[in-house]
Amino acid sequence: MKEIEGKILQLGKFYPIGGGVEKVMYDLMTGISERGIYCDMMCASADRNSMTVKINEYANLICTRTWTKKAATMISPEMIWKLRKICRNYDIIHVHHPDPMACMALFCSGYEGRVILHWHSDIQKQKTLLKLYEPLQNWLIRRADCIVGTTPVYLEKSPFLKDVQEKTVCLPIGVEPVYKDCEKEEIIRKRYGGKKIVFSLGRLVHYKGFRYLIEAAKYLGNDYVVLIGGTGPLKNELQEQIFNEKLAGKVELLGRVSEDDLPGYYAACSVFCMSSVQKTEAFGIVQIEAMSCGKPVVATRIPDSGVSWVNADEESGINVMPEDAKGLADAIMKITSNDEVYTKYSEKSLKRFKTLFTKELMIEKCLKIYRYE
């Protein structure tokens, strides 16, 4: 196996970890460096402070000072001059998109080495700003030696990548398995009287489609309870929906679920449901966390998104059309209709996780990309 010479830099987003992109960056840095390969990570500091943290002998976390946050982007001029100063220390810069600040820093750096562009998603929300950013984004696409995406669907369907398909490759996200917490599982099951638990997790924002999951509860029997973890701007609106539709006791907004409590909810649930409705949801890491516990998944067939590729229909779970509350309920009831059916979905869900979505597999494939294999 060809060794990787020199150093790698993961570039983009911010720290502390607040979402899927940052988690992938951090996991790549730690996973690669634990194999004795130099791999640093540069990102904007979410708390605005500049710092460098030694992660291990082969990895440093470099956080640059930020001025403010605009349109989901940390404004960090320090990233520009710091990258320009140190970029020649690296043989590969692995930049994570979308992040206009990281793209601008790379553009201004004068870096001449290999660039890997990790295309996590298209820019969906900031349409007006995209018009201003698009020339720089087009430069990044041309500059990249290789473009990796989290699913083959997203790579193929992204309108921005249609002319560069020859240099794209799929690198599915991988995570450490969520290990069962039997004590917390038992506590949660008792709290809800042994009902079948439908668990969901995410920010309470429009594209997550939680209003349809709440509506789906109307079609479920009283032996089900729907638990939604997460915080966000739609909390009051969703709580009002629960009250107006007389679903108190059948649907519960859990608020923020801590890392310590999360394994208990994954273990206690019968089904994990991801009700997202827009392409902003490109992959859905929570799906594979649930799969790692052998939980069947109900997700949505969002056009041009990779979500329904991650959850293989009639294998690891069932995919339904977005904004279809009745469809969500029917899929949940089908999966839990009897023990034999449930066991089939559960076993195939865990198998799909082990085959495609472990952190170890993500690191191995990433290193092959670095080695041109």
Side-chain angles (χ1 to χ4, degrees):
M1 183 181 291
K2 185 166 63 176
E3 293 299 320
I4 294 175
E5 298 178 359
K7 298 175 70 176
I8 300 155
L9 179 68
Q10 307 291 327
L11 175 66
K13 285 294 181 178
F14 36 86
Y15 187 85
I17 294 169
V21 176
E22 303 94 87
K23 177 172 172 52
V24 170
M25 289 177 62
Y26 191 84
D27 284 351
L28 287 174
M29 174 187 66
T30 55
I32 291 168
S33 62
E34 285 166 0
R35 295 173 181 236
I37 299 166
Y38 288 98
C39 185
D40 295 337
M41 172 174 162
M42 177 182 281
C43 53
S45 173
D47 59 13
R48 303 191 179 186
N49 295 318
S50 178
M51 63 178 181
T52 298
V53 179
K54 188 177 181 66
I55 303 298
N56 58 46
E57 185 181 351
Y58 295 93
N60 293 291
L61 174 63
I62 305 163
C63 292
T64 61
R65 184 178 290 106
T66 58
W67 287 1
T68 186
K69 184 178 181 180
K70 293 290 184 183
T73 299
M74 293 292 184
I75 308 303
S76 175
E78 185 182 37
M79 183 181 284
I80 295 174
W81 68 257
K82 183 164 280 191
L83 183 63
R84 185 172 179 85
K85 182 179 179 181
I86 68 173
C87 67
R88 288 159 188 80
N89 297 335
Y90 299 97
D91 297 86
I92 297 172
I93 291 183
H94 187 152
V95 59
H96 294 259
H97 173 91
D99 185 3
M101 192 71 245
C103 183
M104 176 63 75
L106 185 63
F107 178 78
C108 296
S109 69
Y111 178 70
E112 296 180 351
R114 279 184 75 200
V115 171
I116 307 296
L117 170 56
H118 206 132
W119 195 272
H120 291 270
S121 70
D122 300 339
I123 293 176
Q124 294 285 319
K125 191 175 178 182
Q126 292 85 16
K127 300 292 186 182
T128 302
L129 290 176
L130 176 59
K131 292 179 182 178
L132 299 174
Y133 172 59
E134 196 162 5
L136 191 58
Q137 178 178 270
N138 290 339
W139 168 83
L140 180 59
I141 292 169
R142 293 192 306 271
R143 174 65 180 84
D145 296 280
C146 177
I147 301 172
V148 301
T150 55
T151 66
V153 177
Y154 214 99
L155 284 172
E156 180 186 347
K157 297 298 184 178
S158 171
F160 304 104
L161 303 180
K162 65 181 186 299
D163 296 328
V164 291
Q165 289 293 302
E166 72 284 353
K167 61 177 181 180
T168 62
V169 61
C170 180
L171 175 63
I173 295 172
V175 297
E176 294 284 2
V178 177
Y179 293 104
K180 288 186 71 172
D181 187 324
C182 296
E183 184 178 339
K184 289 183 178 178
E185 175 188 359
E186 186 63 24
I187 291 170
I188 293 167
R189 287 186 183 277
K190 284 183 178 179
R191 185 185 306 156
Y192 297 102
K195 292 181 179 181
K196 297 171 186 174
I197 295 172
V198 179
F199 181 48
S200 193
L201 182 70
R203 288 192 68 233
L204 305 183
V205 292
H206 172 72
Y207 79 85
K208 293 291 184 179
F210 288 129
R211 58 173 290 194
Y212 302 102
L213 178 54
I214 292 171
E215 186 182 344
K218 294 191 299 185
Y219 303 101
L220 298 173
N222 291 327
D223 55 338
Y224 289 86
V225 62
V226 176
L227 306 179
I228 301 173
T231 61
L234 295 186
K235 177 185 176 182
N236 291 340
E237 182 180 319
L238 295 174
Q239 195 65 62
E240 186 176 352
Q241 180 188 357
I242 292 169
F243 176 79
N244 290 340
E245 298 188 11
K246 298 180 173 53
L247 292 169
K250 198 169 184 181
V251 180
E252 183 178 336
L253 302 183
L254 300 171
R256 181 182 176 274
V257 178
S258 70
E259 291 295 321
D260 287 341
D261 289 339
L262 195 53
Y265 282 99
Y266 277 127
C269 75
S270 298
V271 176
F272 185 86
C273 185
M274 199 167 83
S275 53
S276 300
V277 295
Q278 293 178 353
K279 193 185 173 185
T280 307
E281 192 75 81
F283 185 92
I285 290 178
V286 287
Q287 293 189 100
I288 60 175
E289 289 178 343
M291 288 179 194
S292 77
C293 298
K295 300 301 176 175
V297 175
V298 172
T300 47
R301 295 194 290 270
I302 304 167
D304 301 341
S305 167
V307 166
S308 57
W309 177 84
V310 175
N311 182 41
D313 192 45
E314 292 297 346
E315 184 179 327
S316 54
I318 298 174
N319 296 317
V320 306
M321 292 302 295
E323 303 183 3
D324 183 359
K326 182 67 162 52
L328 292 173
D330 288 345
I332 290 165
M333 289 187 288
K334 179 178 178 180
I335 288 171
T336 56
S337 58
N338 61 62
D339 289 345
E340 184 179 347
V341 170
Y342 185 82
T343 299
K344 180 194 73 170
Y345 283 111
S346 177
E347 289 176 348
K348 289 185 177 181
S349 180
L350 181 58
K351 181 180 179 181
R352 186 163 178 81
F353 170 77
K354 290 180 176 180
T355 304
L356 288 172
F357 301 123
T358 68
K359 179 181 173 181
E360 187 74 13
L361 286 168
M362 178 178 71
I363 301 301
E364 282 290 344
K365 184 155 190 179
C366 189
L367 290 175
K368 287 182 178 181
I369 291 168
Y370 291 163
R371 297 186 189 105
Y372 297 97
E373 292 179 12

